[in-house]
Amino acid sequence: MDFKFTSEQNMLRKMIRRFAEQEIAPRFAQIEKEGYQQDITDRMAELGIVGIAVPEAYGGSGYDFVTQTMVIHELAKVNPGVAFTLEAHWKAVDQVVTYGSEALKERWLGRANSELFTFGQTEPASGSDAGTQQTSAKRVDDGWLLNGNKAFLTNGVLAASVYLVLAITSPEKDLENSRTVFILDNQNPGFENGRVEDFIGMRGCPVGDFYLSDAFVPDVDRLGELDQGMEIGHEAHHTARFLMGALAAGIQDQALKLAVDYVLERELFGQPMAHLDGVKFRISDIAMGAEATKLIMYHAAWLKDQGLHQKSETTMAKLFGSDYALKAANHAMQLFGAYGYSREYPVEHLWRDAKALQYAEGAYEKLQIDIANVALFERKGESYL
Amino acid sequence: MKIAVFIKEIPLSNNVKIDPKTNNMIRSNEQGRINPFDEHAIEVALQLKEKYGGHVSVVSMGPPSFQMSLREALAMGCDDAYLLSARAFAGADTLATAYTLAQAVKKMGDVDVMLFGLKAIDADTGQVGPLVAEALNVPHVTAVHEIKQVNQAQKTMDVAFMNETERVVVRSSYPLVLSVSDAGSTPRYLSPLKIKHVMKQDITIWNETDLGCDFDCIGTSGSPTTVTNTFVPKEAARAVKMLEGSPQAAAEALVTILRDQHLL
């Protein structure tokens, strides 16, 4: 077991840190106020950061999942919202790399170095209950006509230009064998952007919806086999969730740094707060959660790199990470006293950002059930490591 | 145009240890960082290549662990890297270092421009660049922030530097040595793709025999400098005096204090 990053990863981490500190951190107030900033994405594209998950054959640098996780973590330490845009992008890119035909990859993957992708599964009336999805694809000569409405898309409306869309292709079949994924862009005549959500957290990442009205997609842009869509959707979640763990770890690390700096400086009853046991209990909780989240998320990413089963581990990375990110943000706010409740201090946004992790890429309760089902019916009580 | 940029790896600031016997800094195998001024020298070198064509080599002298800093320079865009590494080079002061680097330049052959950072932020001497110029008997310009123009036909170069009061542009023939300040460039980011590739790239390692060095000119025997003592300055205790009363009274009290301290 080796917990060290490689020299290559260390060098990349240093580069990402420098970029985040120099070019994202100073934009914090602007991002909180105005939301998504396209020029930050453009700059990340120019520097080769957007293409980190894209194979070299298609113009990217093709880093593995452990390294992708490390990059998301570094960005999230400075701005979880900006990191979130890449999480959604790389999740979608991974599906194109894994399931795309050579022709499809040639058509789309080059763009993944400079434009953001996203994966549309959720609909206004269909989240955890995927059986109620309505978006459909009807076979026509040379392709498909897609109709429907996807909602709550990370990167939606403002950031993404390329969309993976899950649509019903065989309504007569069961849920797991009736859907197919298609890829299209926002220039498709049948594509129309909807609204951007006014979410309280993750301000650097837009979330929105779109409509498809007889959007024609050629058959070459069908991702994977006919009716393989749910499998691709599940796989996308598996990739997304350890990356979500990295967002959570970034929030926790930020909370730890802010809280530690504050309690070492702030005096209470004639001594720095750091010497009070009640304060130490909270600091311990933040530090422990952060370390545990990192271990789970890197383990899940490593399993994926090895081609090993990681369905439960990746889900734990997101679930545990989101739980402790919220706790860490809450502890940090409490330690700051009333200052923690003020927008003037860079603490309260951590709580708003952390809360997003309990909805995105699978609702908290759905993930609990997924973990339990693996423990109960697949591993039948066998331990994980 | 054949360009060589010389970099020094310095310890991370919280990682400095002093050898009690020699009073010199211990350059362990722990990862350090490229001296910040040298990053500006790399940037100027790469811009020169982008504008006029050519080849940028990056050179350093130190233990094998310095290869990682050379790889960082490669990931910024340098074409190849040289490490001058041998036990015989250990303990070199600026004179012995400059001699060794000059020997490397001779072995590389036909180098047009040699770029150094203005100074290293650990030792803060700023001597190695000028000493290399002396050793090679070529012109030298210091505190350069910009290369304005190159005339490749006449082998001249117009470079801008700041003296104490004004910006000066001088024309020099090349080969030449330039010590680069941090005033005119922003070092570029490493490229994620290049980071992957440079890990597999060969780095040429030369020792004293490869460079044909005179043993009296390298390492401790080639170094007239003796470090007699190294210490961390004690932080002076800071006292705070609050000036009370009206703004005018406080201002008058402040002026009195400054006069007493001979600051006015």
Side-chain angles (χ1 to χ4, degrees):
Chain A
M1 209 174 264
D2 186 348
F3 289 99
K4 285 201 303 284
F5 286 123
T6 63
S7 301
E8 181 180 290
Q9 287 166 332
N10 277 326
M11 203 180 280
L12 182 64
R13 186 157 69 147
K14 202 158 130 182
M15 177 261 178
I16 298 290
R17 264 184 199 170
R18 180 182 159 206
F19 168 72
E21 283 163 10
Q22 289 187 354
E23 303 199 27
I24 301 177
R27 308 277 299 275
F28 170 74
Q30 183 192 20
I31 291 169
E32 284 300 305
K33 191 174 172 193
E34 299 170 10
Y36 174 70
Q37 302 291 316
Q38 181 63 41
D39 67 306
I40 292 179
T41 300
D42 293 342
R43 182 73 171 134
M44 291 198 291
E46 182 190 359
L47 295 175
I49 299 171
V50 171
I52 275 174
V54 180
E56 285 189 48
Y58 302 96
S61 47
Y63 279 93
D64 62 14
F65 293 102
V66 166
T67 312
Q68 290 175 39
T69 306
M70 179 194 78
V71 171
I72 296 285
H73 178 212
E74 286 303 325
L75 291 171
K77 281 182 192 173
V78 170
N79 195 302
V82 172
F84 200 12
T85 62
L86 288 186
E87 177 277 322
H89 174 58
W90 291 348
K91 164 187 101 168
V93 166
D94 177 40
Q95 306 325 308
V96 177
V97 171
T98 306
Y99 292 98
S101 64
E102 273 313 309
L104 182 139
K105 290 182 192 174
E106 284 292 338
R107 282 166 62 80
W108 294 96
L109 273 181
R111 292 174 65 175
N113 296 300
S114 55
E115 300 172 60
L116 294 183
F117 287 27
T118 190
F119 194 160
Q121 299 189 61
T122 302
E123 297 182 5
S126 173
S128 299
D129 181 7
T132 56
Q133 282 169 6
Q134 294 181 349
T135 299
S136 65
K138 188 180 157 194
R139 193 74 165 101
V140 293
D141 287 346
D142 302 329
W144 301 81
L145 284 180
L146 272 65
N147 284 282
N149 173 203
K150 294 289 180 185
F152 298 120
L153 263 92
T154 311
N155 287 344
V157 184
L158 299 177
S161 51
V162 176
Y163 291 74
L164 274 58
V165 179
L166 185 68
I168 299 167
T169 39
S170 300
E172 72 286 2
K173 294 186 186 171
D174 64 71
L175 171 63
E176 293 296 324
N177 296 292
S178 58
R179 284 141 167 82
T180 303
V181 175
F182 299 90
I183 184 166
L184 54 89
D185 69 13
N186 57 3
Q187 300 305 303
N188 187 306
F191 179 97
E192 188 185 349
N193 269 322
R195 70 191 197 106
V196 184
E197 300 292 338
D198 186 17
F199 279 164
I200 61 169
M202 294 287 190
R203 300 283 299 162
C205 180
V207 174
D209 57 4
F210 69 84
Y211 301 87
L212 298 173
S213 307
D214 283 342
F216 175 75
V217 175
D219 197 46
V220 67
D221 291 339
R222 171 173 46 82
L223 184 63
E225 301 298 324
L226 182 65
D227 297 335
Q228 200 184 7
M230 285 303 284
E231 178 192 324
I232 298 173
H234 294 318
E235 200 48 46
H237 280 315
H238 296 158
T239 305
R241 286 174 187 158
F242 56 75
L243 296 175
M244 296 292 278
L247 293 177
I251 291 171
Q252 292 169 66
D253 282 345
Q254 241 191 91
L256 184 65
K257 179 81 175 66
L258 288 166
V260 165
D261 286 351
Y262 186 77
V263 301
L264 285 172
E265 180 83 25
R266 167 85 180 185
E267 295 211 345
L268 200 60
F269 307 117
Q271 61 182 336
M273 281 174 70
H275 296 298
L276 300 172
D277 285 350
V279 170
K280 287 179 182 172
F281 298 152
R282 290 186 187 272
I283 295 291
S284 149
D285 218 18
I286 304 174
M288 186 173 61
E291 287 313 292
T293 299
K294 281 176 238 175
L295 291 176
I296 303 173
M297 82 195 189
Y298 280 124
H299 181 221
W302 178 85
L303 286 169
K304 169 106 180 168
D305 278 328
Q306 308 306 311
L308 297 171
H309 188 277
Q310 47 96 33
K311 179 170 143 189
S312 214
E313 289 83 349
T314 192
T315 306
M316 288 177 185
K318 197 209 105 144
L319 191 68
F320 183 90
S322 70
D323 231 355
Y324 271 85
L326 206 51
K327 273 188 191 176
N330 190 47
H331 285 320
M333 284 175 74
Q334 196 65 21
L335 289 169
F336 268 70
Y339 296 120
Y341 197 58
S342 165
R343 287 186 197 274
E344 274 188 50
Y345 285 77
V347 185
E348 54 80 34
H349 82 92
L350 294 174
W351 191 92
R352 292 187 279 109
D353 292 344
K355 191 62 190 162
L357 303 178
Q358 302 209 311
Y359 310 107
E361 302 295 358
Y364 189 88
E365 295 76 9
K366 169 79 164 54
L367 269 53
Q368 286 181 303
I369 291 166
D370 287 350
I371 292 168
N373 282 341
V374 172
L376 286 165
F377 307 118
E378 290 184 30
R379 298 194 191 239
K380 298 187 191 304
E382 286 296 315
S383 69
Y384 286 76
L385 262 176
Chain B
M1 184 169 281
K2 197 165 173 180
I3 304 157
V5 57
F6 296 82
I7 66 168
K8 182 179 186 184
E9 183 177 298
I10 58 167
L12 295 171
S13 57
N14 57 355
N15 198 24
V16 177
K17 292 183 188 117
I18 304 293
D19 185 332
K21 286 183 186 162
T22 64
N23 286 310
N24 282 324
M25 203 179 295
I26 299 171
R27 300 197 182 277
S28 67
N29 282 331
E30 286 180 52
Q31 173 78 50
R33 57 157 299 174
I34 299 176
N35 173 47
F37 282 98
D38 300 349
E39 291 178 334
H40 290 272
I42 295 169
E43 180 58 39
V44 170
L46 295 173
Q47 287 179 14
L48 191 60
K49 176 191 161 181
E50 283 160 3
K51 203 162 176 187
Y52 298 100
H55 182 96
V56 178
S57 299
V58 58
V59 185
S60 189
M61 181 173 130
S65 61
F66 278 27
Q67 287 183 69
M68 207 44 71
S69 287
L70 288 169
R71 292 191 195 284
E72 279 192 29
L74 292 170
M76 285 175 77
C78 294
D79 297 299
D80 56 12
Y82 296 82
L83 179 66
L84 317 183
S85 189
R87 284 201 164 276
F89 296 149
D93 67 1
T94 52
L95 187 66
T97 301
Y99 168 80
T100 312
L101 297 181
Q103 290 296 104
V105 172
K106 287 177 190 165
K107 188 169 171 74
M108 290 164 80
D110 303 323
V111 179
D112 295 305
V113 189
M114 288 150 273
L115 292 142
F116 290 79
L118 178 62
K119 59 186 179 180
I121 62 166
D122 55 355
D124 214 32
T125 67
Q127 293 172 357
V128 173
L131 285 169
V132 168
E134 288 299 310
L136 295 170
N137 196 27
V138 297
H140 168 258
V141 187
T142 195
V144 170
H145 60 263
E146 188 184 1
I147 295 174
K148 304 287 291 180
Q149 191 176 304
V150 176
N151 185 328
Q152 289 181 280
Q154 295 184 0
K155 286 205 157 207
T156 61
M157 186 172 288
D158 296 354
V159 297
F161 69 96
M162 285 295 295
N163 64 20
E164 283 78 0
T165 53
E166 58 192 355
R167 187 168 178 270
V168 181
V169 178
V170 293
R171 177 166 298 168
S172 169
S173 61
Y174 63 78
L176 88 171
V177 169
L178 302 176
S179 294
V180 178
S181 79
D182 58 356
S185 60
T186 304
R188 65 193 61 191
Y189 289 97
L190 311 184
S191 143
L193 181 60
K194 284 192 178 124
I195 287 172
K196 272 186 105 172
H197 290 178
V198 301
M199 289 300 161
K200 300 174 199 110
Q201 191 169 339
D202 287 336
I203 290 176
T204 303
I205 299 179
W206 283 336
N207 61 24
E208 71 279 19
T209 312
D210 297 323
L211 297 179
C213 290
D214 178 341
F215 281 82
D216 290 336
C217 298
I218 59 172
T220 46
S221 52
S223 301
T225 310
T226 307
V227 181
T228 55
N229 189 19
T230 308
F231 63 94
V232 179
K234 282 184 187 159
E235 198 174 329
R238 286 177 293 181
V240 176
K241 183 171 183 179
M242 299 301 293
L243 301 176
E244 292 174 358
S246 68
Q248 188 172 347
E252 283 169 4
L254 179 60
V255 168
T256 306
I257 292 169
L258 293 173
R259 283 206 174 117
D260 289 348
Q261 300 284 329
H262 306 292
L263 294 170
L264 275 184

